[in-house]
Amino acid sequence: MRSTLVLEDLRVQKIKRADGSWSYTIVWPDCSIDAESEGYLRLHEGSGSQETYAYYLVDHLRWRIREGLTTATITLMDLHRYQGAVGARVPMPYGRPWRVPPKRPYSTAALSISATCLKGFYLHQCVSRGVNEELRNGLDVGRLPTKADRKRAFLGHVITSVPTNPLAPKQGTRRRHPKMLPDGARPELLGSVNTARDEMVVTWLSDTTLRIGGLTGLHLVDLHLRENAACGECKAPHVHVCHRRGNPNRAAAKKKEDWQMVDGVLTGGEIYRASPAMVSSYFKYMTTEYAKYATGHGMLLIQLSGPRQGEPWTADAARGMLRRAGQRAGLPGRIKPHAFRHTTTSRILDVTNNDSWTAKEAGNWASVQTVEEVYGHPDMHSPEFVSALKAVWGEEE
């Protein structure tokens, strides 16, 4: 299924597959597929990266047309110029800015994604088509491995070089203060939501480290909200977050852990413990709104009004609900789902005396190193921190 919208420019085209999933490619105004980008994006078929790279790549290809460049003629300096035109700090003139108001320059994170996309795209073209050897050599470079690189690598003690990206922005320390919820956000939000579904969403985000894509992608079969469930993977009530490509609301879990359904019992995926409050909010929602409006698709969160009442609820709709609830509650800033994840992880560290392993397992984080670098800093108002400073200042009684 293809969209009928035609623009006088290169554009990203969404293609719906028979299994309900979506693929992304780049087409010209006459609806012909751009062969170069198609070959590269096919490498990411079935992953969320395909959509992301498609939109970053189409922006770059439009800029390349303006500059009169092709894969065979573009240079590494041209790619640095492009990165500068979209927001990177580059020690050279880069010409006219490309992303002009109302568009904003890329953030550091966006520049990193752009750099990854461009390096992968041009290395693929240079190798598969046998062109622009100079650009290939400029992109296919390495650096000396760090201690962290050696820890991550199999037989890391023997590696002598790791790939690097000359287009990537300079990265400082990874330690940062993540965006937390305002103090007292949970009771304020619960007092401002209008439905049992929304109350359940706030409760589930508050008591776990679920990502919004995983939450809105849950199916009823993923929920094992009783003791000693048949899956045998967790004795306490829990949920399994499973990556599915064909969800009708396009929600998908970030991590693609293996899962399977055997004799009607689901096993695998990411496992999150469920609190008593989560179970209570679930039954309140299921016995009222879900029982009244659900249309038999088997997904947990549904739309409660409008022409698609009863159909699966999207992640964007959940984000909008949280934003509006935060505004009604008078909370500062914009309430975002990921802030719940950061807040819960920080609280787990607080009550476990900074036990990074517990926080990693509770939050399904990729590594202990991530937890330590992002959250591993002392509370500046804790008695221990204040006492240590007073001792250094010579003020300890």
Side-chain angles (χ1 to χ4, degrees):
M1 182 180 75
R2 294 176 180 268
S3 169
T4 57
L5 178 63
V6 177
L7 302 177
E8 295 301 320
D9 205 346
L10 282 171
R11 72 185 190 280
V12 174
Q13 179 69 58
K14 296 166 51 179
I15 304 171
K16 191 172 184 178
R17 300 299 186 187
D19 63 357
S21 62
W22 292 85
S23 293
Y24 297 82
T25 190
I26 295 175
V27 300
W28 291 87
D30 62 359
C31 293
S32 63
I33 293 177
D34 181 72
E36 288 187 342
S37 58
E38 171 72 4
Y40 173 64
L41 293 174
R42 282 289 182 185
L43 300 177
H44 303 280
E45 186 71 37
S47 73
S49 298
Q50 188 184 59
E51 178 181 4
T52 302
Y53 287 167
Y55 283 101
Y56 278 89
L57 188 55
V58 75
D59 184 77
H60 170 71
L61 294 179
R62 290 169 178 169
W63 174 87
R64 196 175 75 170
I65 292 172
R66 187 191 75 174
E67 299 295 309
L69 298 168
T70 65
T71 298
T73 61
I74 199 167
T75 66
L76 184 60
M77 183 173 290
D78 291 325
L79 295 182
H80 281 298
R81 285 200 303 113
Y82 171 73
Q83 289 289 87
V86 296
R89 294 183 179 180
V90 293
M92 65 176 73
Y94 53 78
R96 287 181 293 166
W98 178 244
R99 294 183 63 81
V100 296
K103 295 181 179 180
R104 293 180 294 179
Y106 285 162
S107 64
T108 301
L111 288 169
S112 296
I113 298 173
S114 176
T116 301
C117 176
L118 294 181
K119 178 180 177 178
F121 172 74
Y122 281 107
L123 282 179
H124 176 72
Q125 301 307 318
C126 292
V127 172
S128 62
R129 297 176 53 198
V131 298
N132 207 336
E133 188 69 18
E134 181 181 354
L135 178 60
R136 176 184 175 181
N137 293 334
L139 290 172
D140 194 12
V141 294
R143 58 172 172 78
L144 292 175
T146 64
K147 187 176 181 180
D149 294 325
R150 294 185 187 278
K151 285 183 177 180
R152 285 192 294 265
F154 179 68
L155 296 179
H157 61 286
V158 300
I159 62 174
T160 59
S161 177
V162 293
T164 187
N165 192 338
L167 302 176
K170 298 288 185 185
Q171 298 287 345
T173 175
R174 288 184 58 191
R175 178 173 291 179
R176 58 194 183 276
H177 292 280
K179 294 181 179 179
M180 305 288 188
L181 292 172
D183 291 339
R186 176 174 178 165
E188 293 292 338
L189 288 171
L190 289 175
S192 300
V193 296
N194 299 319
T195 67
R197 177 203 61 193
D198 298 349
E199 180 182 335
M200 188 185 80
V201 168
V202 172
T203 302
W204 283 44
L205 289 175
S206 298
D207 285 355
T208 66
T209 54
L210 279 166
R211 299 177 179 87
I212 195 63
L215 178 58
T216 53
L218 285 174
H219 289 238
L220 297 181
V221 295
D222 302 337
L223 312 181
H224 294 169
L225 301 181
R226 62 180 178 83
E227 300 284 346
N228 299 312
C231 68
E233 295 183 292
C234 182
K235 293 182 178 180
H238 61 278
V239 300
H240 297 256
V241 177
C242 305
H243 179 81
R244 297 180 175 91
R245 292 190 60 198
N247 281 335
N249 62 352
R250 298 182 59 205
K254 181 177 181 179
K255 296 177 70 175
K256 301 176 179 62
E257 301 286 349
D258 292 336
W259 62 276
Q260 61 180 343
M261 182 76 73
V262 179
D263 296 331
V265 178
L266 187 140
T267 59
E270 287 186 279
I271 297 178
Y272 291 84
R273 290 277 298 270
S275 69
M278 291 170 60
V279 177
S280 176
S281 65
Y282 163 80
F283 281 109
K284 179 180 178 180
Y285 163 63
M286 291 296 293
T287 56
T288 55
E289 297 160 356
Y290 193 89
K292 184 177 181 180
Y293 299 118
T295 57
H297 45 72
M299 297 195 71
L300 174 63
L301 297 174
I302 61 172
Q303 300 187 47
L304 301 178
S305 60
R308 299 190 64 186
Q309 186 180 64
E311 293 301 307
W313 203 40
T314 66
D316 283 342
R319 293 187 185 98
M321 180 276 293
L322 291 171
R323 182 183 68 252
R324 293 188 296 272
Q327 291 171 347
R328 290 194 296 270
L331 296 173
R334 181 173 179 172
I335 302 300
K336 296 183 178 181
H338 214 66
F340 289 88
R341 179 172 170 84
H342 291 311
T343 301
T344 302
T345 302
S346 183
R347 287 175 177 169
I348 292 172
L349 282 173
D350 287 343
V351 300
T352 60
N353 196 24
N354 285 323
D355 186 339
S356 301
W357 283 100
T358 300
K360 172 195 175 297
E361 293 302 319
N364 283 295
W365 288 94
S367 68
V368 173
Q369 182 182 6
T370 301
V371 174
E372 291 176 342
E373 290 182 345
V374 176
Y375 303 97
H377 50 78
D379 181 359
M380 297 182 66
H381 303 288
S382 68
E384 295 81 5
F385 188 86
V386 173
S387 177
L389 282 181
K390 286 185 176 181
V392 172
W393 295 340
E395 297 181 5
E396 191 69 37
E397 297 180 358

